[in-house]
Amino acid sequence: MIRRIWTAYTVELIKARRLWFTYIGPVLVVLAVLGAPLLRPIERDGVSDYGFIAYATPVALNLLGLVLLLTYCAGLISSELSGGSIRMVLVRPLRRCEFLAAKLLLGMTYAVVLTVLVGMTSWLLAFTFGELAGVSYGGEVIYTAGQMRNAYLLGMLLSLVPQFAAVAYALMLSTFTRNTGAAIGAAIGLWIVLDTLKHPLRISPYLFSTYLEVPWKVFSNYGEMLDASWLPAVKYGLATSVASFVLFAFIAGCTLSRRNLHA
Amino acid sequence: MARCIQTSHLTKSYGATVAVQDLSLELASGEVLGLLGPNGAGKSTTLYMLSGLVPPTSGTVTIFGKDLRKGFLEIASRMGVVVERPSFYNHLSARKNLLLLAMLAGRNVTVDRALDMAGLLPVASKKVGDLSMGMRQRLSLAQAMLTEPELLLLDEPASGLDVESTQEILKLLRRLADEAKVTILFASHMMHEVEALCDRVAILNEGKLLACDATNALLSYDPSHVEVLLDAPEAASKRLVEQDWVEAVNFKPGRLEVRLRSGTSHQLTAFLVNAGYKVTGVIPKRRTLQEYFLKVLNS
């Protein structure tokens, strides 16, 4: 089973690599980070370089990156359903759940690529125009460069978990319809509706989307010379994200396994 | 002969619409079975259910002695499928498409052999999006034959192909059945394709199996349907119409086409000779598949 999923994932990667649409997301998030110094300038003052990273990363990832991720993943299965290519694939010795797993892995890879690109670009800019020598105040180093780097890397790693849940959410909607436009519209539209209503409805603690920015909070607070703790927000974020991921993947699997794949 | 496919009370409903109803069918290894039927008869749905693309509402499918749901992986590795309106990854070349499908099949196969078989080697590097409809249909056949399957499920495989290409494909399929003993289930509404290729024909209409018999038996000479060559066909036709053992007479210049009630064929020549007509020939008509098909549908 693992071998078949891995093969299907490799096939998905080859297909994605040759599709121009794949490159739109990475290019846009990099451009967003490159444009961020216009709003949040970087100076060699021991603080603004980290401040820039703390500003650019969530903006590029959790606003633009999220829309791009949802758009990309919502089209992963619906496009195959509408085009009919899924029928060529699923008459091979490959179970539908394995095909779904390969698509999930592709979506997760996309999320990793966007996150890494945003991280690399923002750090490169901060390194070029700032000093990245740790956070200091009045000559006293409050957080060392190593502490800042580690906080960022851990934040980056933790931020992937809710993003993976977003991948599963978009992929679930992708199995519901053959219409790629409808799948993308539903993924983004439903997200906006839920995000708007979650506070009035008091359901925000139970939604993984609430915790998208949480992993960056520690780094951001460090950058502002504040104390910060990972817990308990990260714990709740991880729990809701993992539960959402499992739920969405399960619903997607059930939907796909019952689908009639006729012309 | 070992059974390759067996369906038992196979039914597929889409809401209130029953696409296939209580279909029980058997197909022996190495046999070529044609599924004939008008549009909407349930041919494609049957093939989709056999290939695992459409889950049946009820009934079972056994292929290579294994239940399709439980043994899907093994069955799929020994099966090639051509679906209606085949679709590929248009941004990739024909060769790359086949390479990816071969990867999914878990086989290390030579893609060029399948491309060559389908006559696609000269355009193998072209993007599928740039290929004509006929070329894509050929590519669909190539992907089905990629892993040298023991069973081919073909849904209108010659759709969109010109006459010459259709003949080539039919010859190729017949060769696969004769030499490699590949079992073929061939759905089509083109009578001549089914007639040329299939050992047995099953006729479906409105989701029900109406008839299933050997093609040779269906196309055998029919003693009750004859063509008579004689000197005065017009006058003879008027006399024949009056006879109660004659079902129908069709007058044509220089000859008559006569349909007789069964078991009365011996009376025709004697009657015409005794009436003074100069009969130069009585030729039993060969039933065409189309005639049989229409007869079954109308009955």
Side-chain angles (χ1 to χ4, degrees), chain A residues 18 23 91 111 116 122 124 174 181 207 238 254:
Chain A
R18 303 210 174 192
Y23 298 94
V91 294
V116 169
S122 53
L124 197 69
S174 191
L207 295 180
L238 283 178
C254 290

Side-chain angles (χ1 to χ4, degrees), chain A residues 31 63 199:
Chain A
L31 287 177
L63 286 177
H199 293 296

Side-chain angles (χ1 to χ4, degrees), chain A residues 40-55 122-123 125-127 129-135 148 219 223:
Chain A
R40 182 88 182 222
I42 312 165
E43 285 168 26
R44 295 181 188 276
D45 56 6
V47 176
S48 67
D49 39 13
Y50 291 111
F52 164 77
I53 296 170
Y55 168 77
S122 53
W123 278 81
L125 277 180
F127 178 75
F129 300 107
E131 21 186 40
L132 294 178
V135 178
M148 293 306 287
F219 179 82

